[in-house]
């Protein structure tokens, strides 16, 4: 099979197991983002794909070829790291062409590839400059350019935007997505930032403690998280989790706890009936709150607002619901003052339910 394939890959350092057993198929041309908290094994996995780290067990194939024991140079990969070192004495063009010159590619070919990569990365005006005369973002693009000129089968990125300021990070996200469209190559991107994952990925791989929690499109993992870890990791501000019980009210299930009693949405009604005897965790995403009644799906909730943060189009509320801390994000008009205690509304069609013991979604 083409693309990149990991079969029961494991990694231990001495008696410490970092990746217990990981399997994943990445299609050719796909942009896959590994996301998870620091230390969950993202870089280790990427480095095993690159061949910079030996696997303890399992098999890795790239473009249908078993590369498990193939040297990095022979895997047809290009890698961009968070900390990149450009050659300070070389200008942008020479930095970008370094690998090609080392490989003794013909001069015409080198020039052409640097030209194309520079145009793609909008570095053409800077080809003659030294790294010290570039901004941080331009330097990062040169580091990317060094990989792109080589036109590998797979591009591997390990948190390449972490050192950039917020505005540049956001524009580089767009550029990377564009680059993926133009190059049409398989890309595997590692980050701890769920926004990067959501904005760039065709598919997201969410990891925790060396284990894949969920693989899916940004839409999948946001709308149907498999457990409380994924539910709270993806989405900003984070989903609020509240202890709750289920109750059958003439066939319609209700989820109730301190300060709330909400009808379970139709899509979850059967699952909720099956779980009626168990303790439940209710998940409420902040963005599904509203400051005004918006329709029959919206249930009233009385909130004590501790802090209201003005974001512009909305306000983030750190509030108290029946003695528990919750977060709400409500849209407000330009004339609105900061929100205070009162009745708010929640879209009950957007309710999430999890088994309290296992954290698994119902
Ligand atoms: P991430 O990139 O997700 O932040 P890493 O893949 O770098 O995480 O690390 C995963 C785990 O493996 C961490 O707990 C880290 O301490 C451990 N680890 C990484 N490299 C080594 C090593 N050379 N020896 C021992 N433990 C390591
Ligand atoms: Mg890392």
């Amino acid at each position: 099979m083409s693309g990149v394939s990991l079969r029961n890959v494991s990694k231990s350092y001495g008696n410490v197991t970092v990746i217990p057993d990981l399997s994943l198929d990445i299609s050719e041309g796909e942009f896959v983002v590994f996301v998870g908290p620091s230390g969950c094994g993202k870089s280790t996995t990427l480095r095993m794909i690159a061949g910079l780290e030996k696997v303890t067990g399992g098999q890795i194939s790239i473009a249908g070829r078993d590369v498990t024991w193939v040297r990095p140079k022979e895997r047809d990969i290009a890698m961009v790291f968070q900390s990149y070192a450009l050659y300070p004495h070389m200008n942008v063009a020479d930095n970008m062409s370094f690998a090609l010159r080392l490989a003794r590619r013909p001069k015409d070919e080198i020039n052409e590839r640097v030209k194309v990569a520079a145009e793609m990365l909008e570095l053409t005006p800077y080809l003659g400059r030294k790294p010290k005369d570039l901004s941080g973002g331009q330097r990062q693009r040169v580091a990317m350019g060094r990989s792109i000129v080589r036109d590998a089968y797979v591009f591997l990125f390990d948190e390449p935007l972490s050192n950039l300021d917020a505005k540049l990070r956001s524009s580089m996200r767009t550029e990377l997505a564009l680059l993926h469209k133009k190059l049409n190559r398989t890309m595997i991107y590692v980050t701890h930032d769920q926004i990067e994952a959501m904005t760039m990925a065709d598919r997201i791989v969410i990891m925790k403690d060396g284990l894949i929690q969920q693989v899916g499109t940004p839409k999948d993992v946001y709308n149907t998280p498999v457990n409380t870890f994924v539910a709270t990791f993806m989405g900003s501000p984070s989903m609020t989790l509240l202890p709750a019980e289920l109750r059958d009210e003439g066939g319609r299930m209700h989820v109730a706890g301190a300060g709330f009693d909400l009808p379970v949405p139709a899509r979850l009604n059967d699952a909720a009936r099956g779980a009626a005897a168990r303790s439940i965790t209710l998940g409420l995403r902040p963005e599904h709150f509203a400051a005004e009644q918006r329709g029959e799906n919206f249930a009233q909730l009385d909130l004590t607002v501790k802090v209201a943060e003005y974001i512009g189009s909305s306000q983030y509320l750190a509030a108290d619901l029946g003695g528990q801390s919750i977060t709400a994000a409500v849209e407000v008009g330009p004339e609105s003052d900061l929100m205070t205690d009162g009745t708010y509304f929640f879209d009950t069609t957007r309710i999430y339910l999890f088994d309290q013991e296992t954290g698994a979604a119902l």
Side-chain angles (χ1 to χ4, degrees):
M1 106 148 236
S2 58
V4 177
S5 182
L6 305 173
R7 271 295 132 255
N8 303 111
V9 168
S10 63
K11 178 70 188 180
S12 302
Y13 295 103
N15 53 13
V16 179
T17 299
V18 174
I19 307 289
D21 181 2
L22 192 148
S23 294
L24 180 71
D25 289 315
I26 296 169
S27 307
E28 189 170 302
E30 202 175 14
F31 196 138
V32 165
V33 178
F34 281 77
V35 69
S38 182
C40 72
K42 306 179 295 292
S43 295
T44 304
T45 304
L46 200 71
R47 292 171 58 81
M48 288 193 290
I49 296 170
L52 299 172
E53 207 72 72
K54 288 191 177 103
V55 304
T56 304
Q59 191 194 327
I60 297 176
S61 53
I62 297 177
R65 181 169 67 118
D66 183 347
V67 296
T68 315
W69 301 105
V70 171
R71 288 188 298 172
K73 275 173 78 168
E74 281 140 30
R75 291 191 183 199
D76 202 3
I77 50 152
M79 193 149 176
V80 184
F81 299 96
Q82 173 183 348
S83 46
Y84 48 88
L86 300 178
Y87 302 106
H89 57 285
M90 290 184 200
N91 67 23
V92 169
D94 290 343
N95 262 288
M96 282 172 59
S97 63
F98 186 75
L100 297 176
R101 287 185 282 131
L102 211 61
R104 299 185 184 282
R105 306 301 307 167
K107 232 192 175 97
D108 287 351
E109 181 195 324
I110 295 178
N111 289 341
E112 179 58 24
R113 287 203 190 189
V114 168
K115 184 166 165 268
V116 170
E119 272 165 24
M120 222 178 259
L121 293 163
E122 293 176 25
L123 286 169
T124 309
Y126 312 109
L127 283 171
R129 281 202 201 169
K130 297 272 172 63
K132 69 173 167 51
D133 300 321
L134 299 171
S135 72
Q138 289 163 341
R139 275 183 229 149
Q140 182 58 278
R141 276 182 279 164
V142 177
M144 237 165 256
R146 279 198 309 203
S147 307
I148 291 163
V149 292
R150 296 176 39 213
D151 190 25
Y153 181 79
V154 192
F155 288 84
L156 305 174
F157 300 93
D158 194 348
E159 312 230 13
L161 308 184
S162 300
N163 291 338
L164 307 180
D165 65 61
K167 189 152 169 268
L168 194 56
R169 248 197 338 259
S170 147
S171 70
M172 285 301 291
R173 283 204 302 265
T174 315
E175 289 195 25
L176 264 167
L178 275 173
L179 192 66
H180 176 245
K181 271 213 180 89
K182 286 181 193 164
L183 289 175
N184 210 9
R185 288 287 181 274
T186 310
M187 295 189 171
I188 308 176
Y189 188 104
V190 157
T191 180
H192 64 273
D193 180 352
Q194 57 95 17
I195 304 266
E196 281 183 16
M198 289 294 281
T199 51
M200 294 191 297
D202 291 323
R203 276 194 308 160
I204 301 177
V205 178
I206 300 154
M207 288 179 72
K208 181 195 173 206
D209 300 335
L211 298 171
I212 293 180
Q213 303 292 303
Q214 187 167 4
V215 181
T217 63
K219 208 165 129 185
D220 287 339
V221 298
Y222 176 84
N223 290 308
T224 46
V226 295
N227 58 28
T228 49
F229 177 81
V230 174
T232 52
F233 194 78
M234 306 306 290
S236 173
S238 273
M239 182 188 286
T240 296
L241 301 178
L242 299 168
E245 302 293 332
L246 292 166
R247 189 182 76 244
D248 194 331
E249 226 172 74
R252 185 60 187 267
M253 299 302 293
H254 275 239
V255 56
F260 62 89
D261 186 341
L262 304 167
V264 168
R267 74 182 150 86
L268 288 173
N269 205 53
D270 288 348
R273 188 176 299 114
R278 285 183 266 155
S279 290
I280 292 297
T281 300
L282 169 68
L284 303 177
R285 286 206 188 274
E287 54 272 36
H288 300 146
F289 280 87
E292 71 289 327
Q293 179 56 276
R294 287 188 177 170
E296 60 183 22
N297 296 329
F298 283 75
Q300 296 188 10
L301 291 173
D302 290 326
L303 302 185
T304 309
V305 176
K306 291 179 282 189
V307 182
E309 293 172 331
Y310 184 77
I311 305 300
S313 60
S314 58
Q315 291 182 22
Y316 293 165
L317 312 180
D320 181 291
L321 172 68
Q324 312 250 19
S325 293
I326 68 144
T327 308
V330 295
E331 273 179 44
V332 289
E335 304 303 330
S336 276
D337 292 325
L338 287 179
M339 304 301 283
T340 53
D341 300 352
T343 300
Y344 289 81
F345 301 86
F346 190 85
D347 181 355
T348 57
T349 61
R350 312 302 291 269
I351 276 174
Y352 293 89
L353 299 175
F354 306 94
D355 184 295
Q356 204 173 94
E357 202 174 319
T358 64
L362 291 198

